[in-house]
Amino acid sequence: MSTLKEILQTDIKTAMKEKDQVKKGVVNLIRAGIQNQEIELKRELTEEEAVKVVQREMKQTKQSLEEAEKANREDIVEAEKAKIVIIEQYLPKQMTLEEVKELIESLGIDKTIPMGQAVGAVMKEVGARAEGKVVSQAVKDYLKN
């Protein structure tokens, strides 16, 4: 199986050949984020660390989308939505709220522990397969019942 960096390298070439400026821009942004993180850590990133860079980019793009929607900037909204579609290709399939709730049930987390600890335990299990927001909501629902 190819690594994320190899996939990004292939996709940048394809985007350039197809003259897909949006995809080229997004892939370059992700590659730059990975490269900057590697420079900062002075080593090559693991696959999991590279996925975290992509997740961070997704989170920033979603925040930009929300702000653009509040400002009624349809041009920016459309651009951010296009970026999200491209970024999703580089993330593992995301778990739904229901799937996270099922995982929490199977872990048998003690309902008396603080929410932060419970979220931390679940995040270790799901890794990059679920957003923190989804995990937080699932844990909150679990601890209430």
Side-chain angles (χ1 to χ4, degrees):
M1 187 174 147
S2 298
T3 66
L4 179 60
K5 286 172 64 173
E6 291 169 345
I7 293 168
L8 289 167
Q9 184 65 36
T10 303
D11 286 357
I12 192 80
K13 289 176 185 174
T14 305
M16 289 168 73
K17 285 178 186 173
E18 295 174 355
K19 298 186 183 350
D20 185 344
Q21 294 301 316
V22 176
K23 186 163 189 168
K24 179 183 164 210
V26 172
V27 173
N28 270 332
L29 195 64
I30 294 169
R31 289 179 64 215
I34 291 171
Q35 190 172 19
N36 289 340
Q37 191 71 26
E38 287 178 338
I39 291 168
E40 189 176 310
L41 297 174
K42 295 181 172 70
R43 64 175 171 79
E44 201 163 312
L45 296 183
T46 64
E47 196 67 15
E48 188 175 306
E49 290 169 328
V51 170
K52 285 185 180 179
V53 171
V54 178
Q55 284 180 308
R56 187 171 49 238
E57 189 58 46
M58 176 64 90
K59 185 177 180 179
Q60 290 172 350
T61 304
K62 285 183 176 180
Q63 287 172 342
S64 296
L65 175 62
E66 287 175 17
E67 290 173 23
E69 286 173 336
K70 286 179 189 171
N72 291 324
R73 294 288 310 269
E74 282 304 312
D75 55 331
I76 297 174
V77 169
E78 293 307 312
E80 295 302 308
K81 284 181 179 178
K83 276 179 66 175
I84 288 171
V85 169
I86 295 168
I87 295 169
E88 284 175 340
Q89 297 172 12
Y90 303 106
L91 289 172
K93 181 185 175 297
Q94 297 294 290
M95 295 174 73
T96 65
L97 182 63
E98 292 307 313
E99 290 171 330
V100 175
K101 285 180 180 179
E102 288 173 18
L103 175 67
I104 293 170
E105 292 286 335
S106 71
L107 291 174
I109 293 176
D110 182 5
K111 292 188 178 194
T112 61
I113 67 170
M115 184 167 163
Q117 277 185 312
V119 169
V122 175
M123 285 304 289
K124 282 183 185 174
E125 285 295 316
V126 299
R129 296 177 297 147
E131 290 181 352
K133 227 188 231 184
V134 173
V135 171
S136 179
Q137 183 60 51
V139 169
K140 195 180 293 181
D141 292 349
Y142 175 77
L143 294 178
K144 278 184 189 175
N145 298 328

